[in-house]
Amino acid sequence: MSDASLRSLRYGDELIAFSLRVQPARTAQRIAIHVEPDGRVRVDVPQETSDAAVQAALQRRARWISSQVAAVRERLAHVVPRAHVSGESLLYLGRRYVLKVVVDESRDGHVRLRGTRIEVAVAQGDAARVRTLLDAWYRKRAGEVLAARASPPLRPCCAGSARRRPCSCASCRRNGAAARRQAASR
């Protein structure tokens, strides 16, 4: 197999570009074809797969690939790219918020959620800077939300109260018994 990772497939009048990814650790000896949400086509193959086998697999699935790529193009035709300017609508945790870009040198880089708005303070009204700040804010908030959701909530009886006796709720008794059994088996 050659080293080139970007290739194309002809299906009728259409030329479909795809990226080839050789996966040495792939245990299944089959070729996987993926159409990404943005319309890119990716082909994952095991290490020892020949070019002829890849082309044969793509020709067998060419109609499916073409229809999937066309469906993505149709979906994306209605999507307007974000300009990152005041008044744009943003989604956060399933709710719609309005973006407000505030030009203020003293608060440059400050992003906050305020009622139904997400405010971004920048020194200049640069859309690229607003996008960078929003991306960082979304990532930070996602980490906080996921961390909060990943840890199980504590019951009031288990939250480390000043009680000297152990908690008597059924869950604590079950977990305590399981812990004692596990410690005894070691």
Side-chain angles (χ1 to χ4, degrees):
M1 174 159 301
S2 64
D3 295 337
S5 63
L6 291 176
R7 302 183 180 191
S8 61
L9 164 73
R10 181 158 298 282
Y11 179 68
D13 295 340
E14 188 177 4
L15 190 65
I16 302 170
F18 66 92
S19 63
L20 187 68
R21 188 167 69 172
V22 178
Q23 296 181 320
R26 190 171 178 83
T27 57
Q29 292 300 313
R30 59 182 111 155
I31 298 170
I33 302 169
H34 311 277
V35 178
E36 303 291 338
D38 62 356
R40 289 178 295 135
V41 178
R42 190 182 78 224
V43 180
D44 295 335
V45 298
Q47 180 83 37
E48 302 300 322
T49 307
S50 67
D51 286 337
V54 171
Q55 287 298 330
L58 287 169
Q59 286 299 329
R60 276 194 309 272
R61 302 291 292 166
R63 188 168 96 192
W64 176 83
I65 296 167
S66 177
S67 68
Q68 295 297 311
V69 170
V72 168
R73 282 191 195 128
E74 187 177 316
R75 250 190 337 266
L76 293 179
H78 303 293
V79 176
V80 178
R82 294 210 178 278
H84 295 93
V85 295
S86 288
E88 265 191 334
S89 182
L90 300 173
L91 291 175
Y92 175 65
L93 295 178
R95 292 197 174 106
R96 189 170 305 278
Y97 294 90
V98 176
L99 174 63
K100 181 171 182 179
V101 178
V102 179
V103 178
D104 184 359
E105 288 185 18
S106 65
R107 296 186 330 169
D108 184 37
H110 188 73
V111 181
R112 70 180 182 182
L113 185 63
R114 199 166 204 203
T116 60
R117 295 187 319 241
I118 296 177
E119 288 186 1
V120 180
V122 290
Q124 300 169 352
D126 182 26
R129 173 88 170 127
V130 172
R131 178 183 180 168
T132 303
L133 290 171
L134 277 173
D135 285 346
W137 180 80
Y138 271 116
R139 288 180 193 281
K140 180 183 175 203
R141 295 296 292 250
E144 293 168 0
V145 168
L146 291 175
R149 290 182 181 178
S151 62
L154 292 176
R155 293 178 188 80
C157 61
C158 307
S161 64
R163 295 174 59 179
R164 294 180 189 228
R165 294 185 324 173
C167 178
S168 62
C169 74
S171 177
C172 292
R173 281 195 310 261
R174 239 188 341 269
N175 292 339
R180 284 191 298 275
R181 280 194 303 272
Q182 188 177 17
S185 67
R186 288 183 186 165

